[in-house]
Amino acid sequence: METVAPRFTLASLAQVLGGDADGPEDTPLARPASAGDDDPLGVTFAENDRYLALAESSDIGAIIVSHDARKSAKPLIRVSNPRLAFGQLLHMSDVPMRASPGNHPTAVIAQDAVVDPSARVGAYAVIESGAAVGAGAQIFPFCYVGEDCSVGAGAVLFPHVVLYRNVSIGENSRIHSGVVLGADGFGYVWDGRTRVKVPQVGSVQIGSDVEIGANTTVDRATAGSTRVGEGTKIDNLVQIAHNVVVGPHGVIAAQSGISGSTRVGARVVMGGNVGTADHVNIGDDVILAGRSSVGSDIDEPGAYLGTPARPISEAKRAIMIATKLPELLARIRTLEKKIEELESGR
Amino acid sequence: METVAPRFTLASLAQVLGGDADGPEDTPLARPASAGDDDPLGVTFAENDRYLALAESSDIGAIIVSHDARKSAKPLIRVSNPRLAFGQLLHMSDVPMRASPGNHPTAVIAQDAVVDPSARVGAYAVIESGAAVGAGAQIFPFCYVGEDCSVGAGAVLFPHVVLYRNVSIGENSRIHSGVVLGADGFGYVWDGRTRVKVPQVGSVQIGSDVEIGANTTVDRATAGSTRVGEGTKIDNLVQIAHNVVVGPHGVIAAQSGISGSTRVGARVVMGGNVGTADHVNIGDDVILAGRSSVGSDIDEPGAYLGTPARPISEAKRAIMIATKLPELLARIRTLEKKIEELESGR
Amino acid sequence: METVAPRFTLASLAQVLGGDADGPEDTPLARPASAGDDDPLGVTFAENDRYLALAESSDIGAIIVSHDARKSAKPLIRVSNPRLAFGQLLHMSDVPMRASPGNHPTAVIAQDAVVDPSARVGAYAVIESGAAVGAGAQIFPFCYVGEDCSVGAGAVLFPHVVLYRNVSIGENSRIHSGVVLGADGFGYVWDGRTRVKVPQVGSVQIGSDVEIGANTTVDRATAGSTRVGEGTKIDNLVQIAHNVVVGPHGVIAAQSGISGSTRVGARVVMGGNVGTADHVNIGDDVILAGRSSVGSDIDEPGAYLGTPARPISEAKRAIMIATKLPELLARIRTLEKKIEELESGR
């Protein structure tokens, strides 16, 4: 943990958060911390007695609790909504990682690329011919922005992002390290002897306010565009195949994979390691629990689980029974024996 | 979507594809498009009435259909095989991404590396001592070619590929961004206190005409070589562990993982997120449906599915029944009740 | 396979390994090889007759066997423990990949970064302000070491590693290519219209003697630190989410994913593609078989398997029965028919 100077006292932080200090007012505090962290300058929050007890057992500086929480030996800050107050503290503590101003002398920028003067281009970035980088965009070191790509105003490419040719990124989107956008879609035809490549001549279009996690891949379309809608958030190590369309304001957790030409509606939520078949439609407001597999269309909003994914209560029931299969087998054996007895007794 | 000049008219494209224009002959057309794309300059194809209706409902420029397809208000191009004609259009529209000619002045090439004069080495590429790069090979920016590596003639390393020491890539193979070839295999021995590393002194050999998707990893062998056979196509985010041997002309879809020392035969096809145990043998012409898990040898050609993978019709039946477990449980309960009645009635 | 000069004869290698040569003493040998490799200069080992027969059928130079193994037409080296002797040969053959000495002139090192004079910093590495690199550490080309990061003595960052701001790496840890440490944790709050980002202000702390495989991602904590304990070994393409704590001396195989705030005890072993829910606790000495899913706490040491993960013998039994569901269904049908007959016969 880095050494930092205290930024608050119990009293000053309580005031900023609109709450009441309950403890030594001059307790020095420096930063938000997680429940259970041993951080004497840290501030965590507790929404209930269990988390309060956990925080009390650690070497934490102070705990944000609700007005009606019990007394504690630890310094408290009492507020009406501890979670919101903690979120406020997170925002106050957030110092976004920023690329250095201007274009680093080692950046290789094609003569006909158009980089807005307010954009920042880091060391050893490469921006190819015909690319456009909007106002205030940040391109960190080692990013590769291919020919005819477009990076929207305010967008951020963290170190080591690769955009193949003709990829567009919407305004204020954040693309994390190791992301590859626009590699060839995976399409081959078997000619009886070898796999013949189907040319992948399409593109990738990422909407505005999208976030894409580290080492995720989004392939270019065979023709047309693979698209991720405005405001959608994608976690690490996700695979989005060619010609997929993901709607706006969705959430796709880590290691999920969406197969070719599948369409995902608006506000869809996928847990970790969800998979889909190709060419399926997933409607708006569908929630897929972690590790679910979607093999056919899902039209109705609601929560789904399992392989194949089905309504979550139904799936949970089937999974519960599946864990009891040995018992079921025993019950069938008992029945068979009894039947035999009954039959012989006829 | 980028602005492009029309390249065809309905009549000129029909002629090139050996078909008949059915609609305004001077309709301007620019590029292939996907079914459902709103692209007035786009051309898609429809193999049946359902896709034809989908294309008609979009703002598409023209549709390639078979000679006997029904009439449409949209401009049509009638051919004998719409899919093949569309493939032809894709090939005509394909402008491969190419590295700049020659060696970029910022490339760091070891004095004793041998780079063919016709190869292209991009900005900020690093080629270490003893490496060889063949005729016409393309090394994009930020690639790392380790000591004693060999990159075959015509092979392409897209931006940000890493080859550890002593990796060889066959002719005309294409390695996409973020791929890591030759990192240490995952081998440790527990000595009762810590995990002791087993040195990984082997290598990786990739055959000719192989394609490897973005962010895939292939580990070096403990001793000998991890090998991928000629013509095999591997998708994104796949893991191939140390000492694995993958045969020729296979297909491995995204997020699949092949564990150490497993052998995969010729022309094997794996759907997405397939997993295998270590040290298993998968014979020639085996097809593994998406998300299957292979725990033991599979010798017979054919299609397999499930965990553990078994013949696909058998697996589908079991999965279907598994989704009906609550019903099965109810039937067992009914039987138990009836037996009880029968027994008490004896 | 590269061309190498023979380094041993059968006699000299037998002497080094403390064993007996059984075959032509001047047989030239160069390197360890895998069972089945056709490598006339290679040496493999065989612990039993099956592997001995496999090695005999290949074009291998010599085979390490136990003193009581049967005779062979191949040159043998007889030792008391063939596996240990082979491990000794691996260690003798290991020439670790090393970064070039000193700081490469193209490395961009911030003025206030502290790089130990004995560390090595490769071509096109970027080390940002406030970072510290310890004695003997090796930073390969294209690594990005963010602001205020700390790289311990003897640690190795292979080409293309990204450390976001304020990440610390313990002594002698090895971080493979494409690894991203410290990207934002995946946290959003739905405000009824959009996903609002929860700032991720924490950090990542990697202990000493840790190894992290290619393209793995470890996210920064929301507050506090995501932590990987001393001596733990992580394979390729693994996802470790924000605020996860992994204990010491564990093993996590490829493509596993650990969700947010989950705690993993000491010496835990995970097979490939294991997944966990968020906020669960996994106790010390738990072993999770490949592809298991952990949905709730596991306190007892031991081996677990399945979805949801349960004790392995129980899970194997249930999986075995699940593959026989069609047979079970048939038995239920038979029972129903017999009951019907019995009932009608009453």
Side-chain angles (χ1 to χ4, degrees):
Chain A
M1 199 168 288
E2 86 269 47
T3 312
V4 297
R7 298 167 53 211
F8 305 106
T9 62
L10 190 73
S12 74
L13 183 57
Q15 187 171 23
V16 167
L17 299 179
D20 302 323
D22 178 358
E25 298 216 333
D26 55 354
T27 309
L29 298 170
R31 63 193 150 217
S34 284
D37 278 1
D38 289 318
D39 180 359
L41 294 174
V43 181
T44 189
F45 76 110
E47 291 188 302
N48 57 41
D49 278 5
R50 189 189 144 209
Y51 280 104
L52 180 51
L54 175 63
E56 286 173 326
S57 72
S58 73
D59 194 7
I60 194 85
I63 309 166
I64 302 172
V65 297
S66 63
H67 283 297
D68 58 0
R70 64 168 165 76
K71 289 292 295 178
S72 169
K74 286 277 184 197
L76 302 180
I77 293 173
R78 296 181 179 277
V79 299
S80 29
N81 186 326
R83 179 175 290 268
L84 280 184
F86 187 73
Q88 199 180 334
L89 175 59
L90 287 176
H91 277 282
M92 288 160 50
S93 309
D94 191 24
V95 186
M97 189 163 132
R98 287 180 69 78
S100 307
N103 298 341
H104 196 276
T106 61
V108 174
I109 303 176
Q111 284 203 317
D112 64 345
V114 180
V115 177
D116 189 278
S118 65
R120 298 166 173 226
V121 180
Y124 302 128
V126 170
I127 300 183
E128 298 280 20
S129 171
V133 177
Q138 297 180 63
I139 313 282
F140 276 81
F142 308 118
C143 285
Y144 180 85
V145 177
E147 286 177 33
D148 299 321
C149 284
S150 155
V151 177
V156 183
L157 308 191
F158 288 95
H160 285 259
V161 166
V162 175
L163 311 186
Y164 279 57
R165 198 172 51 189
N166 202 20
V167 169
S168 74
I169 309 282
E171 295 189 2
N172 300 314
S173 287
R174 296 158 57 85
I175 314 296
H176 284 280
S177 294
V179 168
V180 178
L181 303 181
D184 289 1
F186 194 65
Y188 304 90
V189 175
W190 176 245
D191 74 354
R193 226 173 35 90
T194 65
R195 313 277 169 190
V196 180
K197 186 173 177 70
V198 177
Q200 305 291 314
V201 309
S203 182
V204 170
Q205 291 180 32
I206 306 294
S208 57
D209 297 307
V210 168
E211 186 151 11
I212 302 184
N215 288 349
T216 281
T217 57
V218 182
D219 280 354
R220 66 174 51 249
T222 308
S225 294
T226 305
R227 295 200 293 272
V228 175
E230 175 192 354
T232 284
K233 313 300 184 186
I234 300 176
D235 201 354
N236 301 346
L237 294 167
V238 169
Q239 152 74 352
I240 298 189
H242 51 174
N243 291 90
V244 165
V245 178
V246 178
H249 302 300
V251 168
I252 302 177
Q255 296 174 314
S256 290
I258 306 183
S259 296
S261 299
T262 281
R263 284 170 179 259
V264 177
R267 297 170 301 278
V268 167
V269 175
M270 299 191 188
N273 201 202
V274 165
T276 83
D278 54 355
H279 289 89
V280 300
N281 288 293
I282 300 173
D284 296 344
D285 299 300
V286 165
I287 297 168
L288 290 158
R291 305 213 109 167
S292 298
S293 304
V294 179
S296 54
D297 292 0
I298 297 184
D299 300 320
E300 290 298 307
Y304 295 79
L305 167 67
T307 300
R310 46 201 191 281
I312 196 164
S313 57
E314 186 185 323
K316 279 190 170 167
R317 182 121 201 276
I319 288 166
M320 204 201 55
I321 298 175
T323 65
K324 294 185 178 163
L325 277 174
E327 184 205 309
L328 243 62
L329 179 59
R331 283 163 76 175
I332 291 172
R333 281 194 185 130
T334 304
L335 285 167
E336 287 168 340
K337 208 174 142 208
K338 288 190 176 175
I339 290 272
E340 212 176 301
E341 286 168 10
L342 284 168
E343 286 181 329
S344 63
R346 259 198 301 196
Chain B
M1 198 169 289
E2 86 271 46
T3 312
V4 297
R7 297 168 53 212
F8 305 105
T9 61
L10 190 73
S12 73
L13 183 57
Q15 187 172 23
V16 167
L17 299 178
D20 302 322
D22 179 359
E25 298 214 333
D26 55 355
T27 308
L29 299 170
R31 60 194 152 218
S34 283
D37 278 1
D38 289 318
D39 181 359
L41 294 174
V43 181
T44 189
F45 75 109
E47 291 188 302
N48 56 40
D49 278 5
R50 189 188 143 209
Y51 280 105
L52 179 52
L54 175 64
E56 287 174 325
S57 72
S58 72
D59 195 8
I60 194 85
I63 309 166
I64 301 171
V65 296
S66 62
H67 283 298
D68 58 359
R70 64 169 164 75
K71 289 292 294 179
S72 169
K74 286 276 184 198
L76 302 180
I77 294 172
R78 296 180 179 277
V79 299
S80 29
N81 187 325
R83 179 176 290 268
L84 279 185
F86 187 72
Q88 198 181 334
L89 175 58
L90 287 176
H91 277 282
M92 289 161 50
S93 308
D94 190 24
V95 187
M97 189 163 132
R98 287 179 69 76
S100 307
N103 298 340
H104 195 276
T106 61
V108 174
I109 303 176
Q111 285 203 317
D112 64 345
V114 179
V115 177
D116 188 280
S118 65
R120 298 165 174 227
V121 180
Y124 301 129
V126 170
I127 299 182
E128 299 280 21
S129 171
V133 177
Q138 297 180 63
I139 313 282
F140 276 82
F142 308 118
C143 284
Y144 180 84
V145 177
E147 286 177 33
D148 299 321
C149 284
S150 156
V151 177
V156 183
L157 307 190
F158 287 96
H160 285 257
V161 165
V162 176
L163 311 186
Y164 279 56
R165 197 172 51 189
N166 202 20
V167 169
S168 74
I169 308 282
E171 296 189 2
N172 300 314
S173 287
R174 296 158 57 86
I175 315 296
H176 284 279
S177 293
V179 167
V180 178
L181 304 181
D184 289 1
F186 194 64
Y188 304 91
V189 174
W190 176 245
D191 74 355
R193 228 172 33 88
T194 64
R195 312 276 168 191
V196 180
K197 187 173 176 71
V198 177
Q200 304 290 313
V201 310
S203 183
V204 169
Q205 291 180 30
I206 306 294
S208 57
D209 296 307
V210 168
E211 186 151 11
I212 301 184
N215 288 348
T216 281
T217 56
V218 182
D219 280 354
R220 67 174 51 251
T222 308
S225 295
T226 305
R227 295 200 294 272
V228 175
E230 175 192 354
T232 284
K233 313 300 184 185
I234 300 176
D235 202 352
N236 300 346
L237 294 166
V238 169
Q239 153 73 352
I240 298 189
H242 51 175
N243 292 89
V244 165
V245 177
V246 178
H249 303 301
V251 168
I252 301 177
Q255 295 174 314
S256 290
I258 306 183
S259 297
S261 299
T262 282
R263 285 171 178 258
V264 177
R267 297 170 302 278
V268 168
V269 175
M270 299 190 187
N273 201 202
V274 165
T276 83
D278 53 354
H279 288 90
V280 300
N281 289 292
I282 299 173
D284 296 345
D285 299 301
V286 165
I287 297 168
L288 290 158
R291 303 213 112 167
S292 298
S293 305
V294 179
S296 54
D297 291 1
I298 297 184
D299 299 320
E300 289 299 306
Y304 295 79
L305 167 67
T307 300
R310 46 200 193 282
I312 197 163
S313 57
E314 186 186 322
K316 279 190 170 166
R317 183 121 201 276
I319 289 168
M320 202 200 58
I321 298 175
T323 66
K324 294 186 179 161
L325 277 174
E327 184 204 309
L328 243 61
L329 178 59
R331 283 162 76 176
I332 291 173
R333 281 192 186 131
T334 303
L335 285 168
E336 287 168 338
K337 208 174 140 206
K338 287 189 178 175
I339 292 271
E340 211 176 303
E341 286 168 11
L342 284 168
E343 286 180 330
S344 63
R346 258 200 299 197
Chain C
M1 199 167 290
E2 85 270 47
T3 312
V4 296
R7 298 168 52 212
F8 305 106
T9 60
L10 190 73
S12 73
L13 183 57
Q15 185 171 24
V16 167
L17 300 178
D20 301 322
D22 179 358
E25 297 216 332
D26 55 354
T27 309
L29 299 170
R31 62 195 152 216
S34 284
D37 278 1
D38 288 318
D39 181 358
L41 294 175
V43 180
T44 189
F45 75 109
E47 291 187 302
N48 56 41
D49 279 4
R50 189 188 144 209
Y51 280 104
L52 180 52
L54 175 64
E56 286 174 326
S57 72
S58 72
D59 193 7
I60 195 83
I63 310 166
I64 301 172
V65 297
S66 62
H67 283 297
D68 58 359
R70 64 168 164 76
K71 290 292 294 178
S72 169
K74 286 275 184 199
L76 301 180
I77 293 173
R78 296 181 178 276
V79 299
S80 30
N81 187 327
R83 178 175 291 267
L84 280 184
F86 187 72
Q88 199 180 335
L89 175 59
L90 287 175
H91 277 282
M92 288 161 50
S93 308
D94 191 24
V95 187
M97 189 163 132
R98 289 180 68 77
S100 306
N103 298 340
H104 195 276
T106 61
V108 174
I109 302 176
Q111 285 204 317
D112 64 344
V114 179
V115 177
D116 189 278
S118 65
R120 298 165 175 227
V121 180
Y124 302 129
V126 170
I127 299 183
E128 299 280 21
S129 171
V133 177
Q138 297 180 63
I139 314 282
F140 275 83
F142 308 118
C143 284
Y144 179 85
V145 177
E147 285 178 32
D148 298 321
C149 284
S150 155
V151 177
V156 182
L157 308 190
F158 288 96
H160 284 258
V161 165
V162 176
L163 310 185
Y164 279 56
R165 199 171 50 188
N166 203 21
V167 169
S168 74
I169 309 282
E171 297 189 1
N172 300 314
S173 287
R174 296 158 57 86
I175 315 296
H176 284 279
S177 293
V179 168
V180 179
L181 304 180
D184 290 1
F186 194 64
Y188 304 91
V189 175
W190 175 245
D191 74 354
R193 228 173 33 89
T194 63
R195 314 276 167 190
V196 180
K197 185 173 177 71
V198 177
Q200 304 291 314
V201 310
S203 182
V204 170
Q205 291 180 31
I206 306 295
S208 56
D209 297 307
V210 168
E211 186 151 11
I212 302 184
N215 288 349
T216 280
T217 58
V218 182
D219 280 354
R220 67 175 50 249
T222 309
S225 295
T226 306
R227 294 200 293 273
V228 176
E230 176 192 354
T232 284
K233 313 300 183 185
I234 300 176
D235 202 353
N236 300 346
L237 294 166
V238 169
Q239 152 74 352
I240 297 189
H242 51 173
N243 291 90
V244 164
V245 177
V246 177
H249 303 301
V251 168
I252 301 177
Q255 296 174 313
S256 290
I258 306 183
S259 296
S261 297
T262 282
R263 285 172 178 257
V264 177
R267 298 170 303 276
V268 168
V269 175
M270 299 191 187
N273 201 202
V274 165
T276 83
D278 54 355
H279 288 91
V280 300
N281 288 294
I282 299 173
D284 296 344
D285 300 300
V286 165
I287 297 168
L288 291 157
R291 305 214 109 166
S292 298
S293 305
V294 179
S296 54
D297 292 0
I298 297 184
D299 299 320
E300 290 298 307
Y304 295 79
L305 166 67
T307 300
R310 48 200 191 282
I312 197 164
S313 57
E314 187 186 321
K316 279 190 170 167
R317 181 123 201 275
I319 288 167
M320 203 201 57
I321 298 175
T323 65
K324 293 186 178 160
L325 277 174
E327 184 205 312
L328 244 61
L329 179 59
R331 284 163 74 175
I332 291 173
R333 281 192 186 131
T334 304
L335 285 168
E336 286 168 340
K337 207 174 144 208
K338 288 189 176 175
I339 291 271
E340 210 176 302
E341 287 168 10
L342 284 167
E343 286 179 329
S344 63
R346 259 200 300 197

